[in-house]
Amino acid sequence: MIRTRYAPSPTGFMHIGNLRTALFEYLIARRNGGAFILRIEDTDQERFVEGATDAIFETMKLTGLSFDEGPRIGGEYGPYIQSERKADYLPHARFLVECGKAYYCFCDKERLDGLADERGLKKYDRFCTKLSAAEISKRLESGEAYVVRQLIPEGKTTFHDEVFGDITIDNREMEDQILIKSDGMPTYNFANVVDDHAMAITHVVRGSEYLTSTPKYKLLYEALGWDVPIFVHLPLLQNEQGQKISKRNGDASIPQLLEMGFLPEAIVNYAALLGWSPSSPTSGDKKDYREIFTLAELEKVFEPKNISKSPSAFDVNKLRWVNGEHIKVLPPEVFCEMAFPYLKEAVKKTGVDYAALAKMTQSRVTVVKDCAELVDFIDQLPEYDIELYTHKKMKTNPEVAKQALTLTIEGLGRLTEWNHETLSTAATEIAAENGLSKGQILWSLRTALSGKATTPCGATEICELLGKDETLQRLKIGLQKVS
Ligand code: GLU
């Protein structure tokens, strides 16, 4: 059975790269009827950030990445917490010491600092491997502080990665890394191996920054006599400045993206596209890959073999587009509820049908709050340049507008019934009787009523929204401008 885990360190809020890792782990498990777990790697107490575990847990919940087991919190599964498993690691380290694959090291900070070469690099010189067994026992018994280090053997280590292929590293490039720290806590480098084995993880998915450490992990699995899991390292993810995405570089966290108006389902969809694409194009065009998916759809189509090893870059405009596509398919009443506070703030005029306004804007926004600027002209006509009346294809310009506005002020002014149909018929008649096209009439009308180049609805709908008096007043302002 396939088992995956998302194993964040609680050092802050999740960013898009963290979410991508969690998502890919989740999808690999889900697609194969496997299990997905959350494990909080908090053995580095110095980097621990208060509240980070809860924030990670919340983000996972909001984005729908549910896990299949773990300690119960209320009615749900919670994460495994590494620090609560402290006692589980030392016995494995002791076992490695007994088989000569690890050793106790008593060197203090001063000595270790003195090992720096001219480049400031400090590779441990294996001083403590020379200690006799008697000496080691004596120092352990006297309570002297120690760490346990992995003894890297001579030779070369090769491992396979599903994305990057076979990788071989000369063991001389590796240091005898610390497995157990002087406070008794395991390092991440040791705990991840012990826990991935203890939790029967079959696929380890993580960022490509861990590729260089993987040979050490492979040596540990072998030394402990455990199966080596399948490694899936994800391509580097850069921010818009070309740096690695990270909390430290100030990149937006998932809660911040949500705050900016991105929908959880759109963020998840976008994260899936960072280094992954579906197997086959949607149409005959080789470049036509489908890009919009719900989480449930991703669970069906996700194939780890389609993860690319080339770096991908966060592109907020692409995220906006993905978000817009998810907004388009929201049930209208759901969009209306989300848009209502923004529409209410932008349009205070009484008697406004906010559901109708929401319907007009739903397909035109990439984030919900942008609906406000699409309708703000309703309360107040903005200042505009008369060049807005020019539209080449429509054959309009300020001169045509002058004629169109004169005619509509008179023609619409005579209407007793004021609705979309009567307005549209009136526009057709005015155009036909005066040798103008209906397009010329409507373009001039819409410009005079909105002062904008694009509006979420046509001229006659705007007339309806504004009511007769306001419509005629704005047409007169327009006429004055072009006269
Ligand atoms: N705790 C590590 C991190 O947050 C996880 C790496 C892994 O998945 O093994 O980067």
Side-chain angles (χ1 to χ4, degrees), residues 310-330:
S310 338
S312 43
F314 179 76
D315 173 356
V316 79
N317 289 327
K318 176 93 184 245
L319 173 58
R320 287 184 82 96
W321 173 75
V322 171
N323 203 55
E325 295 302 300
H326 281 269
I327 287 177
K328 278 183 199 153
V329 298
L330 285 175

Side-chain angles (χ1 to χ4, degrees), residues 189-304:
N189 289 323
F190 190 46
N192 89 88
V193 171
V194 173
D195 278 348
D196 283 340
H197 171 75
M199 297 173 186
I201 299 303
T202 56
H203 291 61
V204 168
V205 184
R206 56 185 158 220
S208 55
E209 66 272 24
Y210 287 99
L211 272 175
T212 50
S213 303
T214 305
K216 294 191 241 181
Y217 307 149
K218 186 177 183 220
L219 289 171
L220 284 173
Y221 283 106
E222 287 172 348
L224 289 158
W226 296 341
D227 286 344
V228 180
I230 293 169
F231 294 115
V232 183
H233 284 90
L234 304 182
L236 183 73
L237 187 55
Q238 293 170 328
N239 61 18
E240 293 185 301
Q241 289 72 45
Q243 302 159 310
K244 178 181 179 300
I245 284 252
S246 101
K247 297 164 214 169
R248 276 176 235 176
N249 287 333
D251 293 312
S253 65
I254 304 297
Q256 280 167 331
L257 291 177
L258 292 166
E259 182 66 36
M260 285 158 76
F262 296 110
L263 305 174
E265 58 269 38
I267 300 175
V268 167
N269 184 164
Y270 178 68
L273 304 176
L274 295 169
W276 172 85
S277 53
S279 270
S280 38
T282 318
S283 70
D285 180 348
K286 283 206 180 69
K287 290 196 203 98
D288 182 19
Y289 282 93
R290 178 177 167 193
E291 294 192 291
I292 301 301
F293 298 94
T294 62
L295 183 58
E297 287 164 343
L298 284 170
E299 287 174 27
K300 294 200 190 92
V301 298
F302 187 82
E303 301 247 26

Side-chain angles (χ1 to χ4, degrees), residues 80-131:
Y80 290 106
I81 310 277
Q82 233 164 25
S83 61
E84 290 172 5
R85 301 165 49 76
K86 186 176 169 187
D88 295 2
Y89 306 100
L90 194 57
H92 295 297
R94 288 213 177 104
F95 170 78
L96 289 174
V97 173
E98 277 159 28
C99 14
K101 305 272 171 69
Y103 56 94
Y104 295 108
C105 169
F106 301 92
C107 294
D108 58 17
K109 188 173 177 303
E110 208 182 340
R111 169 153 207 286
L112 294 174
D113 286 347
L115 295 175
D117 65 12
E118 56 289 351
R119 287 176 300 160
L121 300 175
K122 295 175 232 171
K123 190 168 172 192
Y124 184 58
D125 62 356
R126 295 191 162 168
F127 181 78
C128 287
T129 55
K130 294 181 211 102
L131 300 177

Side-chain angles (χ1 to χ4, degrees), residues 5-10 18 21 25 39 41 188 192 196 204-207 209-210 217:
R5 86 305 192 260
Y6 173 50
S9 305
N18 302 132
T21 305
E25 305 250 17
R39 182 173 80 220
E41 303 207 319
Y188 158 72
N192 89 88
D196 283 340
V204 168
V205 184
R206 56 185 158 220
E209 66 272 24
Y210 287 99
Y217 307 149

Side-chain angles (χ1 to χ4, degrees), residues 57 67-73 75-79:
F57 192 67
F67 9 98
D68 301 300
E69 58 177 61
R72 286 263 175 195
I73 300 181
E76 301 167 85
Y77 290 120

